[in-house]
Amino acid sequence: MPIFVKNEMMRNIFALCLSLLSLTIAWAQVPKRVVVEHFTNTRCSICAQTNPGFYNNLKNHPDVLHLAIHPSAPYNACYLHGLNPTENDARTNYYNAYGATPRFFIQGTRDPNANTSNPSFFSPHTGQLSPVELKIEQFNLPNDSFEINISILKIATDTFAGLRLFVALAQDSVLYAGPNGENLHQDVFIRALSNINGDALNLPANIGDSLIFTYTGGISDDWINSRVFGLAILQEENNKKVVQANATNSMSSPPLGIKKEEPIAFSIYPNPGNGQLFLDSKHELDVTIYLMNGSIVKSLEYAAGSPKLLDVELDPGLYFLEVMHGNRRAAQKVIVR
């Protein structure tokens, strides 16, 4: 057999081996979660124009994680900024994003694309793999405290020089009539559990080894029961690119937020339903129904007593129903099929 044929065969075999090795490494990795850190302000008129389309887009991408941060610029009188002023500004400065809103950082990098309502906004970041698996769990503890446990498992080789783990608490919905016209605010950043720039770490040397982190704290009276969730973002230290991220499910996990005052007792049904809603409560209530983008669908009053059919017909979709009794309020998601 001529020598050049042997060499050609060897090259083909070598290329095949490299391809199989690459596939093996790829198969060993796991999907990377997409996370958006969204800098906004309740007094920013441009935010009011941009955010509804972004939130509608986000609703159609349930696997995308989201954190809304409210810096003091351009308007330091923003109510949601005032709930956590130091850390809102510090996380904004981490990205050198201070001065204007809205700004969107996706996978740790600013995306200047103004068309955040376009479904393709997330496309360049989906389908990517990571050599790291990140799991996060939340637990209630006695004496109005909580615990967040995070495990970071190395499942493939990596070349990271250094990493940072940012861990935050957020409330998945806040109903507040912002001066810019926004009423529903989603995934609002309320506290950092880690350093605001993330806690420094290095991955284990060996594949299959893991790191465990535990964060604890006290529950605030300002948090709404079952709406608070934990979010963990693992980023490269030198360029802030996201390596992996994950979050707890605020609606199904044990609630972190516990109101010490007596909750408003009410029920809404059928939920899911066909567009007609019955409300039952022992309280007199002011009722407001919102679209996911914060627009008000209907405001009405409920007189205490037997179940009543609300004077509203809802199209298929997802809504928030807020009830108020005196200074107390509660909210529930409503699904119409």
Side-chain angles (χ1 to χ4, degrees), residues 135-168:
K135 294 182 178 180
I136 178 171
E137 296 179 299
Q138 65 185 44
F139 302 96
N140 276 357
L141 299 176
N143 301 319
D144 291 340
S145 60
F146 66 88
E147 178 177 291
I148 298 281
N149 290 331
I150 297 169
S151 66
I152 298 172
L153 174 65
K154 179 172 179 173
I155 59 174
T157 56
D158 71 275
T159 57
F160 303 129
L163 301 175
R164 290 205 170 251
L165 177 65
F166 174 61
V167 184

Side-chain angles (χ1 to χ4, degrees), residues 92-306:
T92 310
N93 286 324
Y94 171 71
Y95 284 111
N96 195 26
Y98 190 82
T101 52
R103 291 184 177 179
F104 298 85
F105 282 73
I106 184 166
Q107 299 300 68
T109 302
R110 185 184 176 191
D111 193 323
N113 179 9
N115 194 9
T116 54
S117 61
N118 192 316
S120 64
F121 175 68
F122 301 110
S123 298
H125 309 281
T126 58
Q128 297 183 7
L129 298 176
S130 173
V132 175
E133 182 180 78
L134 189 155
K135 294 182 178 180
I136 178 171
E137 296 179 299
Q138 65 185 44
F139 302 96
N140 276 357
L141 299 176
N143 301 319
D144 291 340
S145 60
F146 66 88
E147 178 177 291
I148 298 281
N149 290 331
I150 297 169
S151 66
I152 298 172
L153 174 65
K154 179 172 179 173
I155 59 174
T157 56
D158 71 275
T159 57
F160 303 129
L163 301 175
R164 290 205 170 251
L165 177 65
F166 174 61
V167 184
L169 294 181
Q171 187 163 304
D172 69 2
S173 58
V174 174
L175 295 170
Y176 162 69
N180 65 352
E182 289 188 90
N183 297 304
L184 176 63
H185 311 270
Q186 300 185 37
D187 306 322
V188 175
F189 173 46
I190 57 176
R191 181 190 294 181
L193 302 180
S194 66
N195 183 286
I196 197 68
N197 296 334
D199 293 333
L201 64 92
N202 289 298
L203 291 179
N206 299 321
I207 294 174
D209 288 349
S210 61
L211 301 172
I212 305 296
F213 295 85
T214 298
Y215 298 88
T216 59
I219 294 172
S220 170
D221 290 343
D222 295 329
W223 301 346
I224 294 179
N225 185 32
S226 80
R227 309 217 74 88
V228 175
F229 66 94
L231 172 68
I233 306 174
L234 186 64
Q235 298 173 270
E236 294 187 57
E237 187 169 32
N238 59 347
N239 57 24
K240 302 182 175 63
K241 290 183 179 179
V242 171
V243 174
Q244 191 57 280
N246 210 341
T248 61
N249 188 332
S250 61
M251 299 306 295
S252 62
S253 300
L256 288 180
I258 299 177
K259 282 288 187 183
K260 294 181 186 292
E261 61 192 11
E262 180 187 356
I264 301 175
F266 77 101
S267 60
I268 188 79
Y269 60 90
N271 188 19
N274 59 5
Q276 290 188 324
L277 295 177
F278 286 86
L279 178 63
D280 186 15
S281 177
K282 65 181 181 181
H283 305 291
E284 293 185 353
L285 301 174
D286 293 320
V287 182
T288 306
I289 301 172
Y290 297 87
L291 293 171
M292 284 295 291
N293 64 10
S295 301
I296 295 176
V297 176
K298 185 83 172 182
S299 295
L300 45 91
E301 295 180 351
Y302 169 86
S306 59

Side-chain angles (χ1 to χ4, degrees), residues 38-44 47 51 55 66 68-73 75-89 171-180 182-191 222 224 329:
H38 168 203
F39 297 87
T40 183
N41 192 288
T42 61
R43 291 178 173 268
C44 165
C47 298
N51 290 346
Y55 286 135
H66 170 246
I69 299 164
H70 293 78
S72 60
Y75 304 102
N76 62 11
C78 169
Y79 170 74
L80 296 181
H81 165 75
L83 297 180
N84 186 18
T86 301
E87 291 183 339
N88 273 307
D89 278 352
Q171 187 163 304
D172 69 2
S173 58
V174 174
L175 295 170
Y176 162 69
N180 65 352
E182 289 188 90
N183 297 304
L184 176 63
H185 311 270
Q186 300 185 37
D187 306 322
V188 175
F189 173 46
I190 57 176
R191 181 190 294 181
D222 295 329
I224 294 179
R329 69 175 64 200

